[in-house]
Amino acid sequence: MSTGFQHVSILGHKKWFAQLQLMHRVCLLLFAVLQLSEARGQEPTATPDQIQFFETKIRPVLVEHCYECHAAGAKTVQGGLRVDHREGLRKGGDTGAAIVPGNGKQSLLLSALRYEEVEMPPKRKLSESIIKDFEAWIAMGAPDPRETAADAQQRTIDLEAGRKHWAFQPIANPPTPLVKDGSWPIDPLDHFILKQLETVGLRPVADADRYTWLRRVSLDLTGLPPTPAEIDFFVRDNSPRACEIVVDRLLGSRAFGERWARHWLDLTGYADMIGTSNNVFAEHAWRYRDYLIESYRKDKPFDRFVREQIAGDLLPGISPEERAESITATGFLMVGDVEIVEPDKAKLEADHIDTQVSKIGMTFLGMTLGCVRCHDHKFDPIALTDYYGIAGMLRSSPSTHKIPFGVWSLLNSTELPETPDQLAARKMHEAEHAEKLATMKTDRERMEAEKKTVVQELAELEKANKSLTEVAASESAAKADGETKSPAEQAAPAADKKESLTKRRDELTEQLKKQAAAIQHAEFFASKVPKAFALHDGEQPSDMPIYIRGNPYAPGAMVPRGAIRVASWEKFPEIPAGQSGRLQLADWLADRRNPLTPRVMVNRIWQKLFGEGLVRSVDYFGSRGETPSHPELLDHLATQFMQNGWSQKQLIRSIVLSRTYRLSSTNDPAAQQIDPDNRLLWRMHRQRLDAEALRDGLLAISGELQPSDGGPALVLEEVENCGELKKAGVNPPNYTHRKPRASQEFQRTIYLPVMRTNFNSHDRLRSFFDFVNPAQIAGQRSQTVVPTQLLFVMNNELFRKRAKALANRLITESSSEEVRLNQLWLRVFNRPITFSERDEAIAFLAQLETTLETKDTVARESLRWQELCHSLLASNEFIFRL
């Protein structure tokens, strides 16, 4: 396998560093090729992230502030400059090119935005953050997907023609195909895979061995490696149901919910902070995360799962628990990146609605809807009216409200129903909190009284000292009057007392300062009423006008609320008066007749298990996306998914018990020639572990992983983490992760705070291993392999601490070198050690024995095994899932 992580031969570190140097030279070569391409006038292809950056950060600004004077439809195109298409910006106007991709200094647009010579827009200068967005955009090459003026023709949406696209056609239930080798398939899905392989003359590779399959399914279903006991139990179980027993155990674990909830969070823009300004904490966001974990653990039917996240507040609930759960579920539409510092509240509302529409489109429908805010979709049969039909429902369900903090807004929150037991427990908690607060205030009064006394005593001492100085006489005069001590001798005890009182006054001042902060903190968090960030219908739900070019200050024709027509099977149902329409939208999304929702979801599940989706563009099923590699299989899985009660667990179970999932990841040269991308699945894809599986696996292997029942990720109970805890002012309450809980070092990564602007000490791994930027959403993470990752696993304390804990555990459990090595390989690689590996490991330990300087026998033993453990944890076999 060619990757950046060379398998760390225990005695081959020089070879390893040579490979790192080779990678560096390759990177330099690629950079040179890129520069040469640019020099020849070949524009590099924009990445999806770059296009999204343009669509979310650049295009809306151009539309709102520039189109009025510099776009088609303007009375006079000022200065000959058009900014409503790519070539217009690059060609520029009367004074030259508005932008020069990659060169901010020569881009006149930046100069105008900065108000250096020309001042644009003329009404007011844009914020520094917007200017920085334009700087970043130009620096990355100014990616711009917009057509030229000549190509920008008005397009008519042809729904009937659009429905001929495979994704909009009704889901079929194709028959299981006949195959030549009827003995190979286990599950019906295997027939679909084998049929296409046989059609091109290929055979699947051999099955993976039992150790590889067990590690694979454990990591895929729970994000954790199997334990030595679980490995031993499985390899000894020769019954026909051995694999089923393993899968049922994994699916029934809380770890399954924790793993698959994290996959879903990638689709939501989840973070424990609101927006990116001033570190405002999202106090209730964790409830949505815990809702997801419980939903996956309980195998909530997916159609119910969809309905709750779109309109859970409008669904009937039998019990308070059900009602609370459904209300919390609407956090799906709330937990994204909301720029609450936006002073223009109409823009804030329009931008957040745009995020919500885009999220619904990508997550459930596999369609890009963000660009439809300004115009009909350029490639797919989705019109402005489709976008604003959905947007009207969300506008009828307000998400934010203005607060008395400068220009700030906050997300809306809803009090959750409680059971009688929950209510009683809360009242008791609040009473205890009130008692604690009263004690704190009593202590403050005591300290204030003591400080007042100390200050008075200091004043009296100062007065006495002054009097003594004024009436002081000479030594002889004092003796003549019969005095036994001089004034200086009399002042000495007073000086000591003054020093003591001054010290106590300063101590009390500092204590009172801390007490004031603690009391303010306790008062701010006095209420323990459970709340969740949730949607609710507004007072006057209504249809919404089209915003011309996405500008909320340029309303056009009103659009009836509805869904995407090309994916609809009948007219959208009437929305009752006084309702937003979200309930009807939820029903439309989760309807069995919807051609997109079931296909998109089974494809997402397949991608998580195989590394690639049957449709590789997992977030986009439109005309410019990938076509399915196995269209009949996709529809077969979607049909089975719905027929089995929309059970994600049942679908996952059938896939991981299939013959296709059992294939090894070994190469076949003949198959490689015919199908180099493995689209026909003649072998299993190899996958690098994601950040969460790496960190959680390290903790599990070292024996340090601690279970958690969820709860707040932010450590708001620590006073030093919180600031601006006031009910009014310029800045809103904020959070800095200065003091984590001690337990967080050993909890699963899903329970750690997700920050939008920085990472704390326990989750730095995420920034190195392709964690989804919480300001964005993505159904599939990148799997980069770069030198910085290798340096991280070599040098970061996360790996070194876990290696030390694992080494000490091995030493404690056995004094036998043989037993330790067997256990080490089982824990890290989840398979037995080979004879050659044993010899190599023993030689490595012996070599270290001669190089370590410490003479402490215990320390030497620990260091030797720590280095061996670290070498294995930094290897490909641990970092990749085969």
Side-chain angles (χ1 to χ4, degrees), residues 159-218:
L159 294 179
E160 290 308 313
R163 290 189 177 112
K164 294 178 181 178
H165 180 61
W166 68 267
F168 300 127
Q169 294 181 17
I171 295 172
N173 187 14
T176 303
L178 297 176
V179 293
K180 297 175 183 177
D181 184 2
S183 64
W184 187 81
I186 297 175
D187 187 273
L189 74 86
D190 295 322
H191 289 263
F192 293 92
I193 297 295
L194 184 58
K195 179 65 176 180
Q196 288 200 208
L197 288 171
E198 289 178 343
T199 300
V200 296
L202 292 180
R203 287 281 304 165
V205 298
D207 291 353
D209 61 67
R210 289 170 71 89
Y211 294 102
T212 300
W213 180 85
L214 180 62
R215 183 172 195 268
R216 177 188 298 168
V217 74
S218 298

Side-chain angles (χ1 to χ4, degrees), residues 628-647:
S629 59
H630 300 74
E632 293 83 8
L633 174 56
L634 183 64
D635 275 14
H636 164 77
L637 293 173
T639 301
Q640 294 302 308
F641 183 41
M642 292 185 285
Q643 288 181 351
N644 289 329
W646 297 83
S647 168

